[in-house]
């Protein structure tokens, strides 16, 4: 075991003395050392409950004959970072999470790992570290929160943000908004919808890295405590049998996870995160790969923010295993292994779809194709992404004049002032990984668009990204971004933008002569944030088309 580096041999007396100081006895020196990577955070509803889960993981580790050691990593709450400069730090936190875990694990020589996390950048950051370190490991999803209930309807967090626009329009009172604020987040957990947090937890399960069913088990359910204990038991078995992530994270498992995401109606942010995780094990996944899978995967689950149901409904219907069962061996590699020692074929043979209204059959799909569409054209030669299942049929093809903004704040101010007309195409640039820096989620602007009644007649394109809560004709991840000299950098008000989702095209009506003339006068804008870390990040970050991973060389 790796931990023998710390405890075996006469010259390791100093290390053993340090371990004695924290209460270990000699018998434990021969047992597997298990790192419990916890993203517990007092200011984060998705992670405030993780100390109890960690305790149950440790109980499971000890039951199986291992020695648990808990340590923490950072956890940014995207819900708190929305709409201000703090969002510039969210995506870059993914790299810090992965790197900080690598530092601890390599320095302290754990034999196996359990990762506990549940929100937007924490899950992919942990999965990147899990793949990179290639030690026996289990991922434990922190679990969704219960939905809010207002006037007889079950709601998720994005609906309170959209309500702000309704207040501005006079369709809702400030008192009604205050009441909604009080009840919409009734428990700990990740937001009660198929946003980025729950998409990526489901991805972890689809990859085979989490216990079956665990990604939809809600944070406040006692079942989550039992899953925590079982995760501790499983990781010791994985160490004893020397089963590593490289045996689970294969091309088959990434194929399965992408199929699952498209069937669930997953967040557009998976276009950033799944390629980054695959990159850690030497597998290249491109936007074209994701487009190919999306085109051939039916959308089976009508989950908020674009659908009718909440995560609790998905869990009660059977969760990820039931979705995998509906996809079947025609679309999945059911021989792919999982951390509980069973293949997906063995798992789905024992489950049932308990609610075909929530998890549709393939012959009764919500949409024929998966949730994401990759658009290309002169505005996005490397690609752009839209959550096509969240776009009204009337907006799937749209041509309109550009209204150009160099930040989200400028766009929000203009929308709230009533200066956007139906048919306009909002263009928000310098929000990419380099130009933001940090590629902010633009949930503030998309929520206001929906709340102001512009969600089905106004389009938006950006080199930034969207929250998993975003719905409507919103095209993000435009690459190359403005700061890298993409065509989006020289757009002007009135330029005619053509969005064709069925045709997978994104173009602007500009001649080569005009493009050349504008670029001769162009120079990139300075980043919005003066930050030591973000300055380094901006220099090292790759294109969003490659998962916004960091270059290994300066």
């Amino acid at each position: 075991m790796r931990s023998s580096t710390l405890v075996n041999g006469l010259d390791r007396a100093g290390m053993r003395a340090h371990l004695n100081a924290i209460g270990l006895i000699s018998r434990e020196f021969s047992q597997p050392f298990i790192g419990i990577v916890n993203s517990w955070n007092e200011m984060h509803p998705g992670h405030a409950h993780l100390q109890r889960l960690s305790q149950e993981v440790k109980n499971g580790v000890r039951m199986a004959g291992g020695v648990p050691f808990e340590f923490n990593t950072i956890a940014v709450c995207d819900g708190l970072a929305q709409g201000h400069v703090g969002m510039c730090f969210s995506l870059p936190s993914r790299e810090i999470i992965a790197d900080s875990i690598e530092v601890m694990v390599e320095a302290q020589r754990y034999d196996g790992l359990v990762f506990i996390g549940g929100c937007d950048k924490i899950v992919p950051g942990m999965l990147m570290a899990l793949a990179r370190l290639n030690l026996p490991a289990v991922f434990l999803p922190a679990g969704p929160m219960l939905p809010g209930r207002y006037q007889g309807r079950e709601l998720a967090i994005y609906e309170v943000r959209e309500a702000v626009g309704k207040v501005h329009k006079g369709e809702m009172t400030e008192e009604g908004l205050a009441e909604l604020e009080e009840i919409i987040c009734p428990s700990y957990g990740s937001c009660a919808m198929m946003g980025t947090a729950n998409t990526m937890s489901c991805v972890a399960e689809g990859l085979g890295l989490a216990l079956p069913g665990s990604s939809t088990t809600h944070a406040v359910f006692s079942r989550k405590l039992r899953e925590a204990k079982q995760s501790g038991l499983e990781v010791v078995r994985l160490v004893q049998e020397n089963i590593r992530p490289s045996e689970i994270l294969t091309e088959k498992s990434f194929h399965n996870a992408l199929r699952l995401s498209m069937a669930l109606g997953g967040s557009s942010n998976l276009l950033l995160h799944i390629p980054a995780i695959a990159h850690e094990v030497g597998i290249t996944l491109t936007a074209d790969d994701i487009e190919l899978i999306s085109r051939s995967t039916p959308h089976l689950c009508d989950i908020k923010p674009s659908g009718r149901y909440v995560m609790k409904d998905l869990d009660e219907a059977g969760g990820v295993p039931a979705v995998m069962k509906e996809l079947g061996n025609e679309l999945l590699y059911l021989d792919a292994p999982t951390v509980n020692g069973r293949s997906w074929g063995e798992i789905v043979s024992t489950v049932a779809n308990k609610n075909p209204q929530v998890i549709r059959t393939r012959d009764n799909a919500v949409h024929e194709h998966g949730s994401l569409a990759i658009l290309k054209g002169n505005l996005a030669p490397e690609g752009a992404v839209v959550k096509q299942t969240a776009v009204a049929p009337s907006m799937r093809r749209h041509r309109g004049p550009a209204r150009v903004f160099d930040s989200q704040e400028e766009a929000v101010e203009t929308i709230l002032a009533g200066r956007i007309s139906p048919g306009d195409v909002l263009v928000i640039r310098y929000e990419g990984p380099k130009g933001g820096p940090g590629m902010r989620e633009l949930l503030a602007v998309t929520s206001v668009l929906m709340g102001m009644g512009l969600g089905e007649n106004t389009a938006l394109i950006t080199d930034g990204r969207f929250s998993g809560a975003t719905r409507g004709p919103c095209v993000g991840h435009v690459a190359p971004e403005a700061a890298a000299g993409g065509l989006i950098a020289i757009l002007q008000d009135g330029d005619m933008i053509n969005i064709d989702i069925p045709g997978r095209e994104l173009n602007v009506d500009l001649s080569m002569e005009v493009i050349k003339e504008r670029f001769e006068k162009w120079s990139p804008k300075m980043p919005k944030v003066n930050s030591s870390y973000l300055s380094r990040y901006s220099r090292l970050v790759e294109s969003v088309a490659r998962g916004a991973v960091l270059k290994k060389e300066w």
Side-chain angles (χ1 to χ4, degrees):
M1 294 187 292
R2 280 166 41 108
S3 56
S4 64
T5 304
L6 301 180
V7 297
N8 286 359
L10 201 61
D11 60 344
R12 293 299 188 254
M15 284 84 154
R16 292 191 294 273
H18 275 84
L19 294 170
N20 289 338
I22 60 170
L24 265 65
I25 59 176
S26 58
R27 175 180 169 181
E28 292 175 295
F29 294 160
S30 62
Q31 296 174 334
F33 283 13
I34 306 299
I36 315 297
V37 189
N38 194 350
S39 49
W40 169 78
N41 183 310
E42 282 190 327
M43 199 177 176
H44 196 318
H47 292 241
H49 61 298
L50 298 192
Q51 285 180 311
R52 176 65 195 278
L53 290 187
S54 176
Q55 185 57 55
E56 293 301 333
V57 173
K58 287 185 269 189
N59 289 342
V61 168
R62 289 205 178 277
M63 286 171 63
V67 184
F69 299 94
E70 180 181 1
F71 66 91
N72 286 83
T73 188
I74 63 171
V76 171
C77 177
D78 279 24
L80 296 176
Q82 291 290 349
H84 57 83
V85 70
M87 184 52 77
C88 291
F89 291 86
S90 176
L91 179 60
S93 76
R94 184 188 74 177
E95 316 309 313
I96 294 178
I97 290 165
D99 290 351
S100 67
I101 295 168
E102 179 187 9
V103 167
M104 279 293 292
V105 172
E106 294 292 17
Q108 306 209 171
R109 314 310 292 167
Y110 300 103
D111 299 305
L113 301 164
V114 176
F115 297 79
I116 314 174
C119 288
D120 294 32
K121 309 308 167 301
I122 298 95
V123 176
M126 286 183 165
L127 295 182
M128 289 167 67
L130 182 153
R132 182 187 304 173
L133 291 161
N134 197 31
L135 292 174
V138 177
F139 178 77
L140 174 64
M145 70 169 59
L146 294 173
R149 193 165 184 83
Y150 181 71
Q151 297 181 348
R153 296 186 302 125
E154 290 191 325
L155 305 178
I157 183 64
Y158 72 95
E159 289 166 284
V160 77
R161 300 182 191 279
E162 292 181 1
V164 174
K166 293 180 180 179
V167 172
H168 279 279
K169 284 189 69 181
E171 295 178 357
M172 188 176 194
T173 65
E174 290 190 30
E175 291 76 19
L177 178 62
E179 182 183 354
L180 192 57
E181 286 178 42
E182 289 285 335
I183 57 86
I184 205 160
C185 294
S187 75
Y188 292 147
S190 50
C191 299
M193 60 185 178
M194 193 54 69
T196 305
N198 289 320
T199 296
M200 292 309 301
S201 288
C202 291
V203 162
E205 187 178 336
L207 286 169
L209 299 173
L211 296 181
S214 61
S215 62
T216 60
T217 301
H218 281 48
V220 295
F221 289 177
S222 62
R223 182 175 9 129
K224 181 58 67 180
L225 300 177
R226 298 193 294 275
E227 289 169 351
K229 188 175 292 181
Q230 189 64 41
S231 296
L233 289 165
E234 294 290 358
V235 75
V236 176
R237 178 186 61 80
L238 293 172
V239 170
Q240 292 167 342
E241 297 178 10
N242 196 28
I243 297 173
R244 297 171 181 261
S246 56
E247 297 176 46
I248 297 172
L249 290 175
T250 64
E251 290 186 358
K252 288 183 177 181
S253 65
F254 281 102
H255 172 99
N256 286 349
L258 285 170
R259 286 267 193 224
L260 171 69
S261 301
M262 299 305 148
L264 289 168
S267 165
S268 60
N269 281 315
L270 69 85
L271 191 67
L272 276 170
H273 300 316
I274 293 186
I277 298 163
H279 175 78
E280 296 290 348
V281 291
I283 295 174
T284 300
L285 286 175
T286 67
D288 293 334
D289 296 322
I290 294 172
E291 166 66 17
L292 188 64
I293 287 177
S294 185
R295 277 186 179 273
S296 57
T297 306
H299 174 211
L300 302 182
C301 301
D302 197 25
I303 310 296
K304 287 176 180 283
S306 54
R308 292 179 294 163
Y309 300 104
V310 292
M311 289 300 296
K312 184 164 68 69
D313 298 314
L314 177 61
D315 183 60
E316 291 171 353
V320 164
V323 180
M324 300 285 269
K325 186 181 186 73
E326 292 296 347
L327 289 171
N329 57 15
E330 295 90 350
L331 295 176
L332 299 175
Y333 293 104
L334 293 180
D335 59 340
T338 70
V339 290
N340 80 336
R342 295 186 293 162
S343 70
W344 270 113
E346 293 172 294
I347 292 166
V348 302
S349 69
T350 64
V351 302
N353 180 353
K354 299 174 184 176
N355 190 339
Q357 299 262 308
V358 176
I359 303 173
R360 303 273 195 99
T361 58
R362 282 187 289 153
D363 59 3
N364 185 36
V366 183
H367 296 96
E368 180 184 359
H369 298 150
S371 57
L372 302 186
I374 307 301
L375 312 185
K376 290 190 174 182
N378 66 354
L379 258 180
E382 293 182 2
V385 66
V386 61
K387 192 171 181 178
Q388 62 177 337
T389 52
V391 180
S394 61
M395 291 296 292
R396 291 174 64 79
R397 285 190 173 93
H398 181 72
R399 173 180 167 85
R403 295 292 305 278
V404 182
F405 305 93
D406 287 340
S407 73
Q408 174 176 234
E409 289 78 2
E410 295 174 27
V412 169
E413 182 181 346
T414 302
I415 296 165
L416 291 176
R419 298 198 297 271
I420 295 297
S421 302
D424 285 350
V425 179
L426 281 72
V427 177
I428 304 178
R429 61 191 177 193
Y430 292 103
E431 294 285 7
K434 288 183 178 295
M439 201 179 187
R440 292 194 292 179
E441 283 185 353
L442 305 188
L443 181 57
V445 67
T446 58
S447 298
V448 168
L449 272 177
M450 296 301 295
M452 295 289 283
L454 295 166
E456 294 191 3
N457 54 37
T458 303
L460 188 158
I461 69 169
T462 179
D463 55 6
R465 61 190 177 88
F466 298 118
S467 165
T470 295
R471 56 199 180 104
C474 301
V475 180
H477 297 212
V478 169
E481 63 176 287
L487 193 58
I488 192 173
I490 60 164
L491 294 184
Q492 297 178 3
D493 283 354
D495 290 342
M496 294 305 295
I497 308 291
N498 297 287
I499 301 170
D500 181 356
I501 296 174
R504 302 299 197 262
E505 292 188 355
L506 180 64
N507 292 292
V508 58
D509 292 349
L510 291 178
S511 68
M512 291 305 299
E513 291 77 14
V514 170
I515 291 171
K516 181 179 179 183
E517 179 183 329
R518 290 188 187 178
F519 268 122
E520 286 173 352
K521 300 174 183 177
W522 171 79
S523 59
K525 293 185 176 293
M526 294 295 292
K528 301 178 182 68
V529 185
N530 181 17
S531 159
S532 175
Y533 172 58
L534 291 185
S535 176
R536 296 195 303 275
Y537 179 87
S538 181
R539 291 198 300 273
L540 288 172
V541 70
E542 297 264 23
S543 169
V544 65
R546 292 181 286 281
V549 298
L550 298 186
K551 300 172 186 172
K552 291 187 177 179
E553 294 85 23
W554 288 87

